[in-house]
Amino acid sequence: MELGMIGLGKMGANMTRRLLNGNHRVVVFDPRVEAVQELQAIGAEGTASLTELIGNVKTPRTVWVMVPSGKITEETIQALSDLLSPGDTVIDGGNSNYKDSQRRAKLLEAKGLHFIDVGTSGGIWGVTEGYSLMIGGEKEIVARHRAIFETLAPARDQGWGHVGPAGAGHFVKMIHNGIEYGLMEAYAEGFDILQAKKEFNLRLHQIAEIWRYGSVVRSWLLDLTARALAENETLSGIKPWVPDSGEGRWTVFESIDLNVPAPAITFSLQRRLRSRDSEPFAEKLLAAQRNQFGGHAVKREEK
């Protein structure tokens, strides 16, 4: 099968490599010429514009959009809606909000175009291990692209599936990332307690390796944690600043809208927000309050 790939960041480039290894014809475009040239060197067909890409993919065309969520995705899909022909398909494999995906599906449907939203997980390891694909869209259109999904997934019959109509793929990926936040926070807190128990002189990497086999808490995330600790057990030089890409927030918002409690995911998001605060006003106020009602000493910042 052939398709166009728009966006050659780490994920888009690695997905292209996996598709090429699966003998798919891939026509690529990215504003960065060097990114296009790198994939041309291994068999992709490079183009210099969206228009050129569309002209080099056979009808009915399939164009996979793998760009950052938000404005860039919106502009790219809007542009494609004017360039593509009825019967063509747009696949959004980024981390778009599922409500945007529902809206975009209707926009494209009005022009005779199909839309598939694919929640994609796998990170930098996907090129070798395969990607987990959570797919939303029309059943028959998803089935038409089965060969692509089978190639990108860990196995032809594992790690991917059609989960519902347009928007469902990105909704499931959103919840997936919310769960990821909670799992990461639990591991971080547990290892924080372990490293604080100085009297036992615990080796965190050793403990992570023990837990990787037979333990109830074993997981791929623990495997990666063990890898990180093997490289830098004290985490020296790493700043405690943790970003969030949006899906955790959207998961919390959805839990509120649906009246479904999600305390662990919500707290893990709040912890990420706190990690970025170099001047934590709330904690300063707590210290000031204790001083006011109990005369407790307040530590002063050094000038």
Side-chain angles (χ1 to χ4, degrees):
M1 191 169 184
E2 69 175 61
L3 75 160
M5 177 69 73
I6 300 172
L8 304 177
K10 287 183 179 179
M11 186 81 88
N14 282 341
M15 293 178 81
T16 299
R17 291 185 178 93
R18 193 168 176 89
L19 289 167
L20 290 171
N21 288 338
N23 295 318
H24 294 274
R25 176 176 178 252
V26 188
V27 182
V28 300
F29 167 68
D30 191 282
R32 297 171 300 122
V33 175
E34 64 277 12
V36 173
Q37 292 173 339
E38 183 177 340
L39 289 171
Q40 277 183 300
I42 58 172
E45 297 181 32
T47 59
S49 68
L50 290 182
T51 302
E52 185 180 347
L53 179 140
I54 297 304
N56 280 274
V57 180
K58 296 178 182 178
T59 58
R61 304 177 186 87
T62 296
V63 179
W64 190 301
V65 179
M66 205 67 192
V67 300
S69 62
K71 183 180 179 182
I72 301 177
T73 297
E74 185 71 21
E75 291 175 347
T76 302
I77 292 179
Q78 285 282 355
L80 288 172
S81 72
D82 294 329
L83 293 170
L84 294 172
S85 304
D88 292 346
T89 301
V90 174
I91 300 177
D92 179 6
N95 284 325
S96 294
N97 188 295
Y98 79 95
K99 295 179 180 178
D100 288 331
S101 296
Q102 290 177 312
R103 175 178 53 77
R104 290 165 184 157
K106 291 179 181 178
L107 166 73
L108 295 176
E109 182 181 15
K111 296 189 176 186
L113 304 171
H114 303 292
F115 178 80
I116 299 175
D117 56 295
V118 180
T120 308
S121 181
I124 60 175
W125 297 90
V127 65
T128 54
E129 302 297 323
Y131 296 92
S132 174
L133 305 173
M134 298 141 264
I135 305 166
E138 304 164 75
K139 186 175 182 179
E140 59 274 19
I141 303 304
V142 171
R144 182 193 299 174
H145 294 84
R146 183 182 185 93
I148 293 175
F149 303 136
E150 289 180 341
T151 300
L152 290 173
R156 294 184 64 185
D157 58 348
Q158 293 179 342
W160 74 277
H162 179 216
V163 298
H170 282 150
F171 181 83
V172 173
K173 177 55 162 51
M174 177 185 75
I175 303 305
H176 163 284
N177 281 30
I179 293 171
E180 178 184 293
Y181 279 36
L183 290 172
M184 293 174 69
E185 179 64 23
Y187 280 124
E189 291 177 13
F191 279 97
D192 196 12
I193 297 169
L194 290 171
Q195 69 87 29
K197 193 66 173 175
K198 302 302 183 185
E199 67 178 282
F200 289 150
N201 194 29
L202 300 171
R203 292 186 54 235
L204 302 189
H205 174 245
Q206 178 199 28
I207 294 167
E209 288 293 342
I210 292 171
W211 287 352
R212 287 181 61 206
Y213 303 97
S215 166
V216 173
V217 300
R218 66 187 183 274
S219 70
W220 186 54
L221 185 55
L222 181 60
D223 295 343
L224 298 179
T225 301
R227 179 186 175 95
L229 291 171
E231 294 172 353
N232 184 0
E233 190 161 44
T234 63
L235 305 183
S236 59
I238 298 177
K239 187 176 181 180
W241 194 97
V242 187
D244 72 283
S245 55
E247 296 90 338
R249 296 180 186 226
W250 300 338
T251 301
V252 172
F253 297 158
E254 197 70 28
S255 75
I256 294 170
D257 288 344
L258 295 174
N259 293 315
V260 177
I265 294 173
T266 302
F267 178 73
S268 66
L269 172 63
Q270 296 292 342
R271 284 281 290 176
R272 292 192 179 204
L273 298 180
R274 173 57 71 189
S275 76
R276 304 170 218 162
D277 195 346
S278 59
E279 292 289 332
F281 183 83
E283 280 73 10
K284 291 183 179 183
L285 184 57
L286 288 173
Q289 288 172 336
R290 293 182 76 248
N291 177 259
Q292 289 293 323
F293 68 68
H296 302 287
V298 175
K299 291 186 176 182
R300 301 292 178 182
E301 294 179 340
E302 296 182 5
K303 295 183 178 179

